[in-house]
Structure formats: structure tokens, C-alpha cells
Amino acid sequence: MITIGCKSLFPLCKDYEFVVNDKNQLAELIAKLVMGWSRHVSRLIKNLDPYYPDVDKATIQSQLDVLNGGDTTKIDGWLFQMISWLVLAEQHKGNPKFFQHNPHPQKAMHGLDGIAVTLKADGSIDRIIITEDKCTVSPRSKITQEVYTEFLEIEAGTKNNAIMQQVEALLSDEALIRVQNDITNPRYRQYRIAITRLDRYDSNDGRKTLFKDYEQKVCGADVDRRTCSTTNFNNMRAWMDDLKQLVIAALTRQIP
């Protein structure tokens, strides 16, 4: 469904670029996510026996109403958040100590776009992954005007309470007690910019232009603190509209 590579732009960042190979399968998984079946989808990705919730007609209809109306840009952004969530889940599917917060249940929600935790074998924190998702035809300006601003605030500690709350929700009490004093330590943070890129950013030099100054906003010699997850949909708006129609069709097929 999704192929993930890694383009090292040392010392700037690492780009875990991805390509969607099966758009229909992607739409089927997103249709499940919009119904709130995140655990079910996670188990599908890990090739585990999934839980099959009962299909709820009211839930399907409410999400069809959202997808069939409203601000197209916000709907694109919401769907892209789910793509980003699926990419990160796929990237870490072999790690039993990877814990990922559910994607937003509705479009245009405030707060962190995505957060996940990886633990080491001894139960200590490996990384707290903080994601900003942007589905845009202006990726550079989105990064400089919105993403970097957000990351600077997080680095300054102004959103430690939100990070603490979301990490707490991901871990068992036993696991949390072991790591609770490290959750707000910036050295464990891994920032991730998931964004749609343009043709001019496909090359290494183009990618360096796209993420210029990343190392000045998220400082430190550890390049793994600064990650990205980019893809080029070519005609992004048309690609996302086609995906939306596929998700609508997938939801419609499930109506009892």
C-alpha cells in the first residue's frame, strides 16, 4: 500500500519519504479510521487478528455528510492527517514498543497533529515523536510560517502539559511510572514534518531548500531529532479529491 524510504540530508534532517502504491487500499483504511476504528487498523497493519466492530449506520452517515460538504481544504488536511498516521504506523509496525495516539476524529481540530512514543527494551523512553501534518500547495511557506513556529513553542516548553497528557494516555500505569520524569525532557523528542511537496523539492538540493533552517529551530547534533515525511502527489488537489471519493465509496459500501 505504502512504500517508505529514507533520504538523509545530514546535518539538516532525515526525510522518510513515502509513495502510495495502492490508493484503493489506502481509502479502505481511511474509511475505517474516520469511523474511529484506529485499533482495528493498527492491528491490520501489524498483520495481527483485527477487532471487527459492528458497523454503525449513523456513524457512517455522519462522516459521509462531512466528506460531502464543507471546506475542501480542511477536508484535505484531515484526510492527509490520516495518511500521515498510517505512514508512521507502517514505518514502526515491527516495533512492539511503539505506541501511537489516534488520529483526530474530526477536521480542523486544534492541538498536536500527531504524537507517538517508542520505548527501549528496558522500558525507558527512546523517542517521543511529535508530528505536524500539512497538505498544501505551498509547502515552504507552511513550514516557515506555521510548523517552525509550533516546534519553537514546543522546544520552549509551552506545550509540555499537552505532551504529558497525550503520552500518559498511550502507556500503561506501570510503563508510565518508569518514564514520567523524562516525558518533558527535550532530548527525547523527535520532530516530524509530514507534508506534500512539489516537483522542485524532489531532488536532494530541493529537499534541503524545503527544510532550510530546520536545524536552527530544533537544535542539536542528533539529526534524528529532525525528521520529515514527504510525498509528491503531482496535482495535489486532484489527487486528494480522488482519494476523498474513494473513501466516500468505501464508507457507502459498508452501510447496512
Side-chain angles (χ1 to χ4, degrees):
M1 178 186 67
I2 296 171
T3 301
I4 304 170
C6 181
K7 187 180 287 292
S8 178
L9 304 170
F10 186 86
L12 185 63
C13 60
K14 287 183 177 179
D15 182 10
Y16 292 91
E17 58 186 354
F18 68 93
V19 175
V20 174
N21 302 312
D22 190 330
K23 202 171 185 180
N24 288 292
Q25 186 182 5
L26 177 69
E28 291 287 344
L29 292 182
I30 290 176
K32 291 175 171 58
L33 289 177
V34 301
M35 289 192 290
W37 297 1
S38 301
R39 181 71 63 86
H40 170 72
V41 172
S42 179
R43 292 182 67 83
L44 286 173
I45 291 171
K46 295 174 183 177
N47 295 316
L48 301 173
D49 290 336
Y51 300 111
Y52 286 97
D54 290 336
V55 175
D56 180 73
K57 185 175 180 179
T59 301
I60 294 175
Q61 189 57 57
S62 67
Q63 298 313 308
L64 286 173
D65 291 343
V66 170
L67 293 170
N68 280 313
D71 189 325
T72 300
T73 301
K74 290 181 179 178
I75 293 172
D76 285 352
W78 186 40
L79 293 177
F80 186 73
Q81 280 188 348
M82 293 182 209
I83 296 172
S84 173
W85 187 93
L86 290 166
V87 170
L88 191 61
E90 178 70 24
Q91 185 179 333
H92 292 272
K93 69 179 181 181
N95 183 357
K97 292 187 177 294
F98 170 73
F99 307 93
Q100 186 178 18
H101 206 279
N102 295 342
H104 289 178
Q106 60 190 48
K107 59 187 174 70
M109 284 185 65
H110 295 294
L112 301 172
D113 287 341
I115 194 162
V117 179
T118 58
L119 301 180
K120 297 178 182 177
D122 64 1
S124 60
I125 291 179
D126 178 30
R127 293 288 182 185
I128 295 175
I129 305 166
I130 299 167
T131 293
E132 275 291 306
D133 301 318
K134 301 297 177 189
C135 185
T136 178
V137 294
S138 305
R140 179 59 186 167
S141 62
K142 281 288 184 182
I143 290 170
T144 58
Q145 296 172 22
E146 298 181 25
V147 177
Y148 285 164
T149 300
E150 182 80 4
F151 286 176
L152 283 170
E153 289 180 357
I154 294 171
E155 280 287 274
T158 60
K159 298 194 175 182
N160 280 353
N161 61 329
I163 293 171
M164 175 68 79
Q165 184 182 62
Q166 293 199 35
V167 171
E168 280 189 348
L170 291 174
L171 302 179
S172 67
D173 286 351
E174 182 180 353
L176 179 63
I177 289 169
R178 186 178 184 90
V179 305
Q180 61 186 345
N181 293 328
D182 294 326
I183 292 172
T184 57
N185 188 329
R187 78 185 184 92
Y188 294 111
R189 290 176 188 161
Q190 182 180 81
Y191 293 86
R192 177 175 178 265
I193 305 172
I195 199 163
T196 50
R197 67 175 192 268
L198 306 176
D199 292 349
R200 63 176 175 269
Y201 299 125
D202 283 346
S203 68
N204 280 14
D205 287 342
R207 220 71 63 94
K208 290 176 182 178
T209 300
L210 180 60
F211 297 110
K212 184 176 181 292
D213 299 329
Y214 200 168
E215 82 285 8
Q216 296 179 26
K217 310 303 178 181
V218 177
C219 302
D222 181 7
V223 70
D224 286 311
R225 295 190 73 220
R226 300 180 292 273
T227 68
C228 322
S229 186
T230 70
T231 194
N232 187 344
F233 291 149
N234 295 316
N235 186 335
M236 189 273 287
R237 292 299 179 203
W239 196 97
M240 291 300 297
D241 185 65
D242 181 59
L243 175 66
K244 181 179 73 171
Q245 298 306 321
L246 291 173
V247 173
I248 289 171
L251 285 168
T252 302
R253 284 195 296 272
Q254 295 189 60
I255 296 175

